[in-house]
C-alpha cells in the first residue's frame, strides 16, 4: 500500500489506467522504459517523491508600490469579563442541538412538500417589503425615524405584539425570504437594539439558513455577531437575561457557521 492509499484525506478518484505491479523488479531510471506499463510505474514513483503541497517563495515587496487600495476588516469581538463569555462545554452543546434541530426542520419541510403534513399555508409578506415584515414580526411600528437599506424603516416597536417565528411559519419560508428577513432584522437591531422577541427570530432564521453561505450572507452574519458583541459589552451584569441569548447567537455564527475568529475562546 503506498502513501496515497493510506491518506484518508485524499479524494476518492477512480483509477484511469491499470498499472501492473511487479515488486521484484527494480526500476532503472537510467535507461528508457521498455513498455507502457513500465513508463506508468516510473511516473507514479516520481509522483510519490513529490510533496503534495508546493509553495512558491516569492518576494512580494516589489508589488507594494503598485497597491492602491487596502481593505481591512475588524476581527474578533469586544473584550468582556470572563463571566460574560460562554463556557466551551456550553458552546459545544448548543452547536450539537442546533445541528440536530436543523435536520428536523429539513425533514419537516420534506413532509410538507410530500403533503404528508396537513397545515395551512401562512400568508407571509412579500420578501422585498421590509415594512410589512417589521409589522409582521413585531406588530405596529411606532415613531418611524430612520431609513435603512432598501425600503426598510425602523423605529421603536411594540414588543408585546407581532408574530413569533412558529414552525408553521418558518417551514414555509423559502431561502430568499430567509436571507432577506435576516438582513432586515440585522438592520433593525443596529437601529433599535436587541430584544428577546427578536432573538427568537434570529434563532429561527439561522436554523433555516442554508449552507454553504454566500459571501454576502457570510458578511451579514459576521455583522450580526459583532452587533451582539457590542451589546453584550454594554450589559451591566452577567445576570442580565439577554446575555445568554446574545452568547447563543455569537456561538452559532462562530462555531456552527465557521466564523471561528469571532468565537469566545
Amino acid at each position: 500500500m503506498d502513501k496515497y492509499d493510506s491518506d484518508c484525506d485524499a479524494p476518492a478518484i477512480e483509477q484511469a489506467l491499470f498499472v501492473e505491479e511487479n515488486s521484484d523488479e527494480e526500476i532503472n531510471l537510467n535507461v528508457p522504459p521498455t513498455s507502457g506499463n513500465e513508463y506508468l510505474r516510473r511516473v507514479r514513483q516520481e509522483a510519490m517523491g513529490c510533496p503534495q503541497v508546493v509553495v512558491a517563495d516569492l518576494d512580494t515587496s516589489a508589488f507594494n508600490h503598485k497597491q492602491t487600495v487596502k481593505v481591512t476588516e475588524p476581527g474578533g469581538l469586544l473584550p468582556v469579563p470572563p463571566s460574560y463569555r460562554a463556557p466551551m462545554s456550553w458552546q459545544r452543546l448548543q452547536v450539537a442541538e442546533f445541528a440536530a434541530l436543523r435536520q428536523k426542520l429539513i425533514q419537516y419541510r420534506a413532509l410538507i412538500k410530500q403533503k404528508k403534513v396537513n397545515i395551512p399555508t401562512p400568508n407571509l409578506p412579500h420578501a422585498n417589503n421590509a415594512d410589512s415584515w417589521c409589522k409582521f414580526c413585531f406588530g405596529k411600528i411606532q415613531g418611524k425615524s430612520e431609513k435603512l437599506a432598501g425600503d426598510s424603516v425602523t423605529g421603536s416597536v411594540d414588543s408585546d405584539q407581532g408574530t413569533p417565528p412558529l414552525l408553521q411559519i418558518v417551514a414555509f419560508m423559502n431561502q430568499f425570504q430567509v436571507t432577506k428577513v435576516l438582513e432586515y432584522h440585522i438592520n433593525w437591531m443596529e437601529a433599535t437594539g436587541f430584544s428577546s422577541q427578536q432573538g427568537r427570530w434570529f434563532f429561527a432564521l439561522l436554523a433555516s439558513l442554508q449552507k454553504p453561505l454566500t459571501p454576502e450572507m457570510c458578511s451579514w452574519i459576521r455583522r450580526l455577531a459583532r452587533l451582539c458583541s457590542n451589546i453584550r459589552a454594554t450589559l451591566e451584569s452577567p445576570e442580565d437575561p439577554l446575555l445568554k441569548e446574545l452568547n447563543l447567537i455569537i456561538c452559532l455564527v462562530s462555531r456552527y457557521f465557521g466564523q471561528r475568529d469571532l468565537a469566545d475562546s
Side-chain angles (χ1 to χ4, degrees):
M1 179 180 294
D2 57 37
K3 71 175 183 178
Y4 292 104
D5 295 329
S6 61
D7 189 357
C8 61
D9 294 329
I13 302 177
E14 185 178 355
Q15 186 175 5
L17 297 172
F18 173 75
V19 180
E20 183 180 355
E21 294 290 347
N22 190 349
S23 57
D24 298 332
E25 181 182 351
E26 293 290 337
I27 299 178
N28 186 358
L29 299 178
N30 296 322
V31 297
T34 58
S35 66
N37 186 77
E38 184 179 345
Y39 172 77
L40 293 175
R41 289 180 59 199
R42 293 188 183 199
V43 171
R44 186 164 65 176
Q45 180 174 336
E46 292 179 6
M48 291 173 61
C50 297
Q52 295 189 23
V53 178
V54 178
V55 179
D57 185 13
L58 299 177
D59 182 11
T60 59
S61 60
F63 305 104
N64 291 341
H65 69 283
K66 297 182 180 180
Q67 184 172 355
T68 58
V69 178
K70 294 184 179 181
V71 179
T72 58
E73 181 181 3
L77 305 177
L78 291 182
V80 291
S83 58
Y84 282 62
R85 294 195 292 266
M88 185 59 65
S89 58
W90 182 86
Q91 294 185 56
R92 293 194 188 99
L93 177 62
Q94 300 308 315
V95 170
E97 292 182 347
F98 184 71
L101 174 66
R102 283 171 60 93
Q103 291 302 316
K104 292 181 180 179
L105 184 57
I106 292 173
Q107 295 170 3
Y108 188 74
R109 284 197 174 103
L111 293 177
I112 294 176
K113 190 174 182 180
Q114 298 169 8
K115 298 183 179 180
K116 294 183 178 180
V117 178
N118 186 19
I119 57 175
T121 303
N123 185 19
L124 300 177
H126 192 278
N128 290 324
N129 193 330
D131 283 348
S132 296
W133 272 105
C134 190
K135 294 176 183 178
F136 182 82
C137 296
F138 300 113
K140 182 179 179 181
I141 302 177
Q142 299 176 349
K144 295 183 179 180
S145 59
E146 181 179 358
K147 285 196 173 185
L148 296 174
D151 60 352
S152 174
V153 181
T154 65
S156 59
V157 296
D158 187 350
S159 60
D160 295 331
Q161 300 180 8
T163 306
L166 303 176
L167 179 60
Q168 56 263 38
I169 293 176
V170 177
F172 281 94
M173 294 178 65
N174 58 43
Q175 199 58 202
F176 180 70
Q177 289 174 314
V178 169
T179 56
K180 290 296 292 185
V181 176
L182 182 56
E183 292 172 11
Y184 296 151
H185 273 277
I186 294 172
N187 281 334
W188 297 331
M189 177 181 175
E190 188 171 25
T192 65
F194 180 79
S195 66
S196 295
Q197 184 180 13
Q198 190 176 36
R200 290 190 287 270
W201 269 102
F202 276 129
F203 184 85
L205 293 170
L206 290 175
S208 303
L209 189 62
Q210 291 181 358
K211 295 174 68 176
L213 301 177
T214 63
E216 293 78 10
M217 184 47 57
C218 183
S219 176
W220 275 103
I221 66 170
R222 289 179 65 85
R223 179 180 167 190
L224 170 61
R226 291 196 180 98
L227 287 173
C228 290
S229 171
N230 295 343
I231 296 174
R232 181 178 68 173
T234 65
L235 299 180
E236 297 181 354
S237 167
E239 303 301 324
D240 193 299
L242 294 181
L243 179 60
K244 281 191 175 181
E245 300 175 25
L246 295 169
N247 279 341
L248 178 58
I249 296 175
I250 295 173
C251 171
L252 296 179
V253 170
S254 60
R255 301 290 180 184
Y256 184 83
F257 289 101
Q259 309 305 307
R260 297 301 177 89
D261 60 309
L262 301 178
D264 282 326
S265 56

